[in-house]
Amino acid sequence: MHEYAMKVLELWKKEQVRDALLSEWSGLNGAVKRLKEEHDARTEELAALLAIKAGLKDRERDAARRTERYGKARDKAQKAIDTGTATDFGLALEQVRKCVELLDEVETESLEIMEEQESTDQAVGAVRRVLAQKVQLLAAAEAAREARKTSLKEAFDQATAERDAVRPDVWRDLLNRYDRLRAKKLSVFADVKDTQCQGCHVSIPGVDLSAHRRGAEVGICKNCGRFLAEVN
């Protein structure tokens, strides 16, 4: 490998150390963000279920009030019939019948409310269990991030300083090529196997490979622009 290419390789190795530290920090932040989003989603889900539960409670109280009202009206009409004090016997019978009908409807409604309450309670319990897990996982992820924060910053600052220290040693034209490859998020170096660049899988001319092997020229793939590394 040409001595100029060796300088680029040294820079790239320093950059990879720095990239690994950035990736680790990004991963720690990503884990916290993901768990926070999951925690918030479960919190919203729980709030919605509790609102449904509160609505069912209101419906239950309303059904109880109607049951009491219809029951009293039925009993009053029935008493008037039984004691013979009803002013209109037929109307009193109709009132008893209507009250019984309404009581049946309310009873059916109450049973439906009870079933919905049971289902909602189960859903609330399930979400609360998941939420408790998310709280623990989020706390653990935040603690892991905090535990690595200082050491990662120190390591990153050191890696950045080491990277910056070798940049001036790289020939400007090669440094520009290096920066362009980095900007495109491409690997800077590509191995060569069976005369093919492993970055783009295009064949490298034999003359170029020979010059690269001898260190006579900086090996560069004319197709993808990557620097050539080892030749296998």
Side-chain angles (χ1 to χ4, degrees):
M1 184 180 287
H2 194 280
E3 61 176 319
Y4 285 5
M6 294 292 290
K7 295 293 185 182
V8 178
L9 181 59
E10 183 181 3
L11 171 60
W12 190 49
K13 287 180 178 179
K14 299 290 186 185
E15 199 87 69
Q16 285 180 303
V17 172
R18 187 173 178 274
D19 287 349
L21 294 168
L22 274 175
S23 179
E24 182 181 351
W25 182 245
S26 177
L28 290 169
N29 277 325
V32 170
K33 181 182 178 182
R34 174 179 56 81
L35 288 167
K36 183 69 167 60
E37 290 173 349
E38 292 176 0
H39 172 275
D40 291 348
R42 297 291 80 76
T43 300
E44 291 179 4
E45 184 178 359
L46 179 60
L49 287 170
L50 290 176
I52 292 173
K53 189 174 178 179
L56 289 170
K57 195 66 179 178
D58 289 340
R59 288 175 57 192
E60 182 183 37
R61 284 193 290 265
D62 178 66
R65 286 193 293 267
R66 283 183 287 144
T67 296
E68 183 180 6
R69 184 169 69 252
Y70 298 150
K72 286 181 178 180
R74 178 203 58 195
D75 293 344
K76 182 179 179 180
Q78 187 63 54
K79 183 177 180 180
I81 294 171
D82 293 342
T83 59
T85 58
T87 55
D88 188 324
F89 187 78
L91 184 60
L93 284 175
E94 177 60 22
Q95 188 174 6
V96 170
R97 186 198 65 77
K98 185 62 177 178
C99 286
V100 170
E101 181 181 320
L102 290 171
L103 284 168
D104 287 342
E105 292 177 0
V106 175
E107 183 179 3
T108 299
E109 182 182 347
S110 296
L111 290 173
E112 292 174 351
I113 291 172
M114 289 176 60
E115 290 176 357
E116 290 182 49
Q117 285 176 324
E118 183 178 357
S119 176
T120 303
D121 285 342
Q122 290 175 352
V124 167
V127 172
R128 278 182 168 151
R129 287 191 292 274
V130 172
L131 185 56
Q133 294 174 346
K134 298 301 179 185
V135 169
Q136 292 179 342
L137 291 172
L138 178 57
E142 289 175 335
R145 181 179 65 177
E146 189 62 28
R148 283 290 283 149
K149 183 177 181 179
T150 300
S151 58
L152 266 179
K153 185 180 186 306
E154 291 174 352
F156 179 76
D157 290 344
Q158 181 179 346
T160 300
E162 292 178 359
R163 187 275 312 267
D164 292 345
V166 300
R167 278 182 66 88
D169 297 335
V170 180
W171 187 40
R172 180 169 295 278
D173 286 352
L174 298 182
L175 185 59
N176 289 338
R177 176 181 293 277
Y178 173 90
D179 288 338
R180 286 196 299 272
L181 289 167
R182 291 280 298 170
K184 293 178 181 178
K185 301 187 183 304
L186 296 175
S187 59
V188 175
F189 279 83
D191 287 334
V192 179
K193 185 176 182 180
D194 297 330
T195 75
Q196 282 192 344
C197 167
Q198 296 303 291
C200 63
H201 302 288
V202 171
S203 293
I204 307 295
V207 174
D208 294 344
L209 278 180
S210 178
H212 173 58
R213 284 193 182 98
R214 290 184 285 109
E217 294 180 3
V218 176
I220 294 175
C221 176
K222 290 184 172 61
N223 182 64
C224 67
R226 291 178 173 89
F227 293 93
L228 300 182
E230 298 299 326
V231 180
N232 300 316

